[in-house]
Amino acid sequence: MLKFPPFKTTIFSFSSPFPSSTSSFFIPPIPKSPSLTFPALGLHRLSTTVAMTDDSTMDAVQRRLMFEDECILVDEKDNVVGHDSKYNCHLMEKIEKENLLHRAFSVFLFNSKYELLLQQRSATKVTFPLVWTNTCCSHPLYREAELIDENALGVRNAAQRKLLDELGIPAEDVPVDQFTPLGRILYKAPSDGKWGEHELDYLLFIVRDVGMNPNPDEVKDVKYVNAEELKELVRKADAGEEGLKLSPWFRLIVDNFLYEWWDRVHKGTLPEAIDMKTIHKLT
């Protein structure tokens, strides 16, 4: 298991050509209360009301997750400042008016041939439906096991949970100590006129051969690609061919980090790229 020094945050800004736009850990349930507090943290839910709009067309599964899941709110230095529903955290109106920023993660899973597993998000996803993206992109929740900051353990626990939820990858295939946290990015991206993302995103690499049983409520398709195949997907997305689209966070990571880190996976030098002190602000 890799050992990481304590995080000390520095924020750098980068530009991208992309338009701005089950775990082996016990995870206790969160009581459904708008005034939930963890005594050790002294943090409360920031929003006492949910911004209600017409969601009659929202898929039932996605709607349940939107209201039941509580995201971790952070400031731009990744300090936890509270929590709020997934619903509120993805409303562009609230993102813009209240500057809601939540913690997230992006998993890049490679097989033993060093091919990267991509997923196409399902048509029922509220944000960025049907786009192609990295292996798994989601949020640690406001629960004890996923709030552990030391060595990004909370985020790694969440990643293991969501790889099972979305792709049916058993926890034993992706042990939490096999994830390598490489860095953090901060970005904002609107999905449509209503929904969007504003995330402080942990980037996790893992090399494992895994079993899969994708959940159709979350994932429409999956594929493994090598670096050249990914470059062709990017070219098609840029050209608007085949209606292919990439998620904005994935494109930012591709443009700024992915190919260098992928090369290090091949060479066995990935630990040399770890930088958990810096938060890269990408636009």
Side-chain angles (χ1 to χ4, degrees):
M1 176 175 178
L2 294 169
K3 302 294 184 181
F4 305 100
F7 297 167
K8 180 180 179 182
T9 297
T10 306
I11 299 179
F12 286 89
S13 295
F14 289 81
S15 294
S16 165
F18 192 75
S20 61
S21 26
T22 21
S23 172
S24 56
F25 292 81
F26 171 69
I27 302 178
I30 301 178
K32 296 180 182 177
S33 167
S35 60
L36 173 65
T37 303
F38 285 114
L41 296 175
L43 299 172
H44 297 265
R45 183 170 180 176
L46 295 191
S47 297
T48 57
T49 60
V50 174
M52 297 302 294
T53 56
D54 181 13
D55 301 309
S56 58
T57 61
M58 190 184 295
D59 173 77
V61 172
Q62 297 299 328
R63 181 180 177 84
R64 175 178 59 79
L65 295 174
M66 277 292 206
F67 286 98
E68 290 186 2
D69 285 357
E70 290 279 319
C71 294
I72 302 167
L73 297 177
V74 295
D75 62 20
E76 291 195 355
K77 293 185 178 181
D78 201 19
N79 299 306
V80 178
V81 297
H83 59 103
D84 209 338
S85 67
K86 183 178 175 182
Y87 187 102
N88 279 343
C89 288
H90 291 84
L91 280 173
M92 283 308 298
E93 180 181 5
K94 279 191 165 287
I95 290 171
E96 297 293 355
K97 288 185 176 180
E98 302 177 24
N99 197 33
L100 293 187
L101 173 66
H102 61 274
R103 191 174 284 172
F105 62 83
S106 290
V107 174
F108 293 75
L109 185 149
F110 301 84
N111 61 19
S112 57
K113 296 188 290 185
Y114 304 127
E115 296 170 321
L116 174 61
L117 178 62
L118 303 182
Q119 68 154 282
Q120 184 183 24
R121 291 161 67 87
S122 78
T124 61
K125 296 290 283 187
V126 175
T127 58
F128 303 99
L130 296 177
V131 305
W132 282 93
T133 192
N134 49 287
T135 311
C136 181
C137 333
S138 192
H139 321 93
L141 299 181
Y142 195 76
R143 53 178 60 166
E144 185 176 357
E146 298 182 13
L147 279 160
I148 303 170
D149 283 335
E150 185 178 2
N151 298 336
L153 179 57
V155 173
R156 290 185 285 130
N157 285 341
Q160 186 189 62
R161 171 178 60 82
K162 286 302 293 183
L163 285 167
L164 176 63
D165 289 349
E166 293 191 4
L167 294 162
I169 299 176
E172 57 267 25
D173 285 3
V174 283
V176 292
D177 63 357
Q178 294 300 302
F179 289 100
T180 301
L182 284 168
R184 294 174 289 175
I185 67 170
L186 193 159
Y187 77 96
K188 183 191 293 185
S191 176
D192 55 24
K194 177 178 179 180
W195 304 104
E197 295 285 4
H198 190 205
E199 297 186 327
L200 202 152
D201 195 11
Y202 285 64
L203 311 182
L204 307 176
F205 271 37
I206 185 169
V207 180
R208 302 281 292 186
D209 289 319
V210 299
M212 270 191 294
N213 182 24
N215 176 358
D217 286 319
E218 298 284 343
V219 177
K220 177 177 173 59
D221 199 4
V222 295
K223 67 170 72 176
Y224 281 99
V225 297
N226 60 34
E228 292 306 311
E229 290 168 334
L230 178 57
K231 289 176 182 177
E232 177 62 10
L233 285 178
V234 171
R235 185 198 67 77
K236 288 182 177 180
D238 286 348
E241 295 180 13
E242 302 174 10
L244 193 147
K245 295 181 180 180
L246 304 178
S247 73
W249 61 88
F250 180 45
R251 185 60 191 269
L252 287 168
I253 298 162
V254 169
D255 289 344
N256 288 280
F257 306 110
L258 180 58
Y259 294 115
E260 177 190 346
W261 290 351
W262 201 337
D263 187 53
R264 288 185 176 276
V265 172
H266 280 272
K267 294 177 179 177
T269 60
L270 188 63
E272 297 175 14
I274 295 170
D275 177 9
M276 294 303 295
K277 296 180 180 179
T278 305
I279 295 174
H280 301 279
K281 194 170 185 178
L282 305 182
T283 58

